[in-house]
Amino acid sequence: MYVIGIVEDEKENQDNIVSLLEQFSSNKKIGFQYKIYSSSEEYIFDSVKVDILLLDIGLPKLDGMNLARQIREKAENTPIVFVTNLRQYALEGYEVSACGFIMKPATYYAVELALMRAIKNLEASNSGHLVLRQKSGTVYILHSDILYVEVSSHTTFIYSKEKTFEAHVPLSEIEKSLPKNAFIRVSNSAIVNVANITSLQGSDILMGDRIVLVSRRYRKTVMDHIVTYYGRK
C-alpha cells in the first residue's frame, strides 16, 4: 500500500483529487492511503513519510515549486507530481525532477498517467531496499544494512545495523523481496544476510553480538551458500 501526500489548499480540488485516486485504486487494484495538507508548512512539519507527492504550485507563503526544491535539497527522491493551472512552471518542474504535471481541473486520464509513471519511478529508486508498508508510513531499509530477519510470536522482526523493525508480514513474503545471492534461510523462522555474518560458532551464526541458530535441516545448505558467496569475493 502506497502513502500519497496531497498538498492543496482548496477543498474542492482536494475532494476531486481524492475521488480520482480512489477510482484509480479500484481500477488498478493498487492500495493507497491519503494524507492531505493545506499548506507546504503542514507537509514540512509532518513526520509521516509519503511515497508519492501530489503538489499544488500556487500555495500561499511557501509555494509548491519552492517546497519541491527543499525536498530535493534534502536528497529525498520522493516522486513529485505537480497539480496546477500554472502552465508556465512546466519547465521549472524539470529542475526538481518532477515526474508529471496534472492540469486543473484534474481528470482521471491525467491522474492515471502521472501515477503510473510515479509508481514506476518509485519502484526503480527502491531497488536495493526492503520496503515495509506500515500504518505510520513506508519504511525503506537498505539490503546491506539488514543483519537478519526473524519471526517470533507471530511478529516478523528485521534487525538492521541501526535499529529493529517490526512487521506483520509472513517471513516467506519478505524472503521473496530479498536478493537470493546475499540472503539465506537458516531455519523455519530466520533469514540472515551472509555479507553481515561476523563469524561462525560451531554450526550457528554470529551477527554482531547476536547468535542466530541454524537448524539441522538447513545446515548443509547454509554452509554451502556461505562458501559459495565468499568464493565470489
Side-chain angles (χ1 to χ4, degrees), residues 66-78:
N66 281 309
L67 172 59
R69 291 191 180 102
Q70 287 191 18
I71 291 170
R72 293 297 183 246
E73 285 170 3
K74 294 178 183 177
E76 294 181 11
N77 60 0
T78 305

Side-chain angles (χ1 to χ4, degrees), residues 50-151:
V50 304
D51 297 309
I52 298 169
L53 188 62
L54 302 184
L55 180 56
D56 182 22
I57 292 178
L59 295 166
K61 296 183 181 179
L62 183 65
D63 66 43
M65 190 60 69
N66 281 309
L67 172 59
R69 291 191 180 102
Q70 287 191 18
I71 291 170
R72 293 297 183 246
E73 285 170 3
K74 294 178 183 177
E76 294 181 11
N77 60 0
T78 305
I80 296 173
V81 176
F82 287 112
V83 185
T84 183
N85 52 14
L86 302 173
R87 294 179 182 273
Q88 65 267 31
Y89 282 99
L91 288 177
E92 289 188 47
Y94 290 105
E95 295 177 19
V96 293
S97 302
C99 65
F101 274 82
I102 297 173
M103 299 305 298
K104 293 180 181 179
T107 64
Y108 177 78
Y109 176 75
V111 167
E112 179 184 87
L113 191 66
L115 281 185
M116 291 306 293
R117 186 183 298 118
I119 290 170
K120 184 177 179 180
N121 288 0
L122 188 64
E123 290 175 346
S125 68
N126 289 337
S127 60
H129 291 76
L130 174 64
V131 182
L132 298 179
R133 313 287 178 191
Q134 300 183 325
K135 289 183 179 179
S136 59
T138 304
V139 177
Y140 303 90
I141 311 169
L142 276 170
H143 291 159
S144 58
D145 282 347
I146 297 171
L147 300 176
Y148 66 101
V149 184
E150 186 175 46
V151 173

Side-chain angles (χ1 to χ4, degrees), residues 129-233:
H129 291 76
L130 174 64
V131 182
L132 298 179
R133 313 287 178 191
Q134 300 183 325
K135 289 183 179 179
S136 59
T138 304
V139 177
Y140 303 90
I141 311 169
L142 276 170
H143 291 159
S144 58
D145 282 347
I146 297 171
L147 300 176
Y148 66 101
V149 184
E150 186 175 46
V151 173
S152 178
S153 301
H154 306 290
T155 300
T156 301
F157 296 89
I158 299 95
Y159 296 92
S160 77
K161 294 176 181 177
E162 299 296 329
K163 62 184 293 188
T164 301
F165 301 89
E166 293 185 21
H168 296 283
V169 180
L171 187 65
S172 59
E173 289 300 310
I174 290 181
E175 186 176 24
K176 290 175 186 175
S177 68
L178 296 171
K180 290 181 172 54
N181 66 315
F183 289 83
I184 180 73
R185 185 181 278 264
V186 298
S187 67
N188 288 336
S189 59
I191 300 167
V192 303
N193 184 347
V194 179
N196 288 326
I197 292 176
T198 306
S199 65
L200 301 177
Q201 290 192 349
S203 59
D204 296 322
I205 292 171
L206 187 66
M207 309 290 292
D209 59 354
R210 296 173 179 268
I211 294 176
V212 182
L213 302 180
V214 180
S215 71
R216 185 184 300 274
R217 173 186 171 189
Y218 290 91
R219 201 163 291 165
K220 183 179 185 305
T221 302
V222 169
M223 296 309 160
D224 288 347
H225 188 102
I226 292 172
V227 170
T228 301
Y229 179 87
Y230 283 100
R232 296 193 190 108
K233 296 290 184 182

Side-chain angles (χ1 to χ4, degrees), residues 40-59:
S40 295
E41 290 77 15
E42 277 188 31
Y43 175 80
I44 290 170
F45 290 111
D46 189 23
S47 60
V48 174
K49 162 109 174 130
V50 304
D51 297 309
I52 298 169
L53 188 62
L54 302 184
L55 180 56
D56 182 22
I57 292 178
L59 295 166

